[in-house]
Amino acid sequence: MQRKEIGGMACLVLTAMIWGFAFVSQVQGMASMSPLFFGATRFTLGALSLIPLLWFRRRGIAEQERRRRESNECPTVTLGNGITVAMPKCLGNPVVVSVICGIVLFTASTVQQYGILYSGSAGRSGFITALYIVLVPVFGMFFGKKTSGRVWLFVAVAVAGLYFLCVNGEDGAGFSRGDLSVFLCAVLFAFQIIAVDHYVGKVDGIELSCAQFVVMAVLSFLCSLIAGERTTLEAVKTCPPYILYTGIFSSGVAYTLQIIAQKDGEATVVSLLLSLESFFAVMSGAIF
């Protein structure tokens, strides 16, 4: 196994740990704030936390960016009959990619917020969310992604282990509307992993992460206004630790690590490692 692959796996495990501990912060944060406004504050903070890193990175690649802007050439593909066709530049446009990933991630995160609000169990929500480890290879088949039998075995063992870890006793009886919302969130997160896997080689990872948070913050604020949610400044003052953790670590740090790590990883294997967030969700629920 190459050093780059080991580093990517370590980043994904760290991402899972950050996300797992974020479930408690999300539950506690929404005790005082509405789900959409809570999402708007955390995504805004996530984008702001990446600006210094993005600025330093941009300084290091300024010359490359200048040459890229000066070049008006589009990537071309030569067809079998010898005809050369220019590819559309928007396919690699970071703005287009960020909007796509931002909309998918905003929808998934918002549905998850409401699901956690109605479910009330960090461990149970963590298990249902982690079902994307099954959905990622299933959806991947529709995009021509093949998954080996060994990986499918790992997926089955992971799902069984997650069930016994997260769901027990009365918690295992029936699905509530909160559970259904969290399951829909798992479907959307599966699409987010596949979307990042598809676009990550075409744009800069840190730029993508920062820009998608801007998209998510704008959508969250707009939807909060449309929904008529009311959150006072006093309510915000009661939960700064939860906002800071979910904004800087769960959003800014974790999603950036995911994007960087996926450059050298297979989507199904990535989902398996990220599913460790359920283990950390149960651990954080027990500790806090």
Side-chain angles (χ1 to χ4, degrees):
M1 185 177 294
Q2 297 181 358
R3 183 179 300 179
K4 186 179 293 186
E5 293 177 342
I6 296 175
M9 293 173 65
C11 287
L12 291 171
V13 173
L14 179 58
T15 299
M17 183 178 70
I18 295 173
W19 283 349
F21 277 80
F23 276 93
V24 171
S25 293
Q26 288 175 258
V27 171
Q28 296 298 323
M30 285 187 295
S32 303
M33 302 171 62
S34 61
L36 284 171
F37 191 82
F38 182 80
T41 55
R42 64 175 288 203
F43 298 140
T44 301
L45 190 57
L48 292 175
S49 68
L50 291 177
I51 290 178
L53 180 61
L54 186 61
W55 183 76
F56 281 110
R57 183 174 177 82
R58 293 288 293 180
R59 286 188 61 186
I61 59 175
E63 182 63 23
Q64 297 179 7
E65 289 295 315
R66 183 184 64 80
R67 292 177 181 177
R68 186 183 303 173
R69 287 194 299 266
E70 290 177 353
S71 175
N72 293 320
E73 297 180 357
C74 294
T76 60
V77 174
T78 303
L79 305 179
N81 54 8
I83 300 176
T84 300
V85 179
M87 297 296 291
K89 297 180 72 173
C90 64
L91 292 179
N93 191 318
V95 176
V96 175
V97 175
S98 299
V99 170
I100 294 174
C101 292
I103 291 174
V104 174
L105 195 54
F106 160 75
T107 308
S109 299
T110 302
V111 172
Q112 184 190 49
Q113 287 293 132
Y114 279 101
I116 293 175
L117 179 65
Y118 295 130
S119 176
S121 170
R124 185 183 176 99
S125 298
F127 164 71
I128 298 174
T129 300
L131 289 178
Y132 59 68
I133 65 175
V134 180
L135 301 174
V136 167
V138 171
F139 294 158
M141 291 190 296
F142 293 98
F143 295 93
K145 301 278 188 179
K146 294 184 178 180
T147 303
S148 66
R150 183 177 63 176
V151 174
W152 277 110
L153 176 62
F154 293 156
V155 168
V157 172
V159 171
L162 288 169
Y163 177 83
F164 289 113
L165 174 68
C166 301
V167 182
N168 56 77
E170 295 181 358
D171 287 341
F175 275 125
S176 65
R177 65 172 179 171
D179 297 331
L180 293 175
S181 297
V182 178
F183 178 73
L184 177 58
C185 151
V187 175
L188 294 169
F189 273 129
F191 279 114
Q192 190 264 347
I193 291 174
I194 293 174
V196 171
D197 182 66
H198 179 72
Y199 289 118
V200 73
K202 302 178 181 180
V203 296
D204 180 80
I206 298 177
E207 287 184 359
L208 171 59
S209 184
C210 185
Q212 75 177 2
F213 285 134
V214 173
V215 173
M216 295 162 67
V218 171
L219 290 175
S220 296
F221 275 118
L222 289 177
C223 291
S224 179
L225 291 174
I226 294 173
E229 292 184 347
R230 294 290 183 268
T231 301
T232 63
L233 183 60
E234 293 299 322
V236 176
K237 291 180 179 180
T238 60
C239 52
Y242 310 124
I243 298 175
L244 289 173
Y245 182 83
T246 56
I248 296 177
F249 292 100
S250 181
S251 298
V253 175
Y255 279 110
T256 303
L257 287 175
Q258 178 209 354
I259 291 173
I260 293 174
Q262 275 199 243
K263 284 189 175 182
D264 302 298
E266 180 186 345
T268 303
V269 177
V270 168
S271 68
L272 276 169
L273 291 172
L274 290 180
S275 69
L276 284 170
E277 69 175 295
S278 295
F279 166 74
F280 291 113
V282 173
M283 180 185 296
S284 65
I287 293 174
F288 298 108

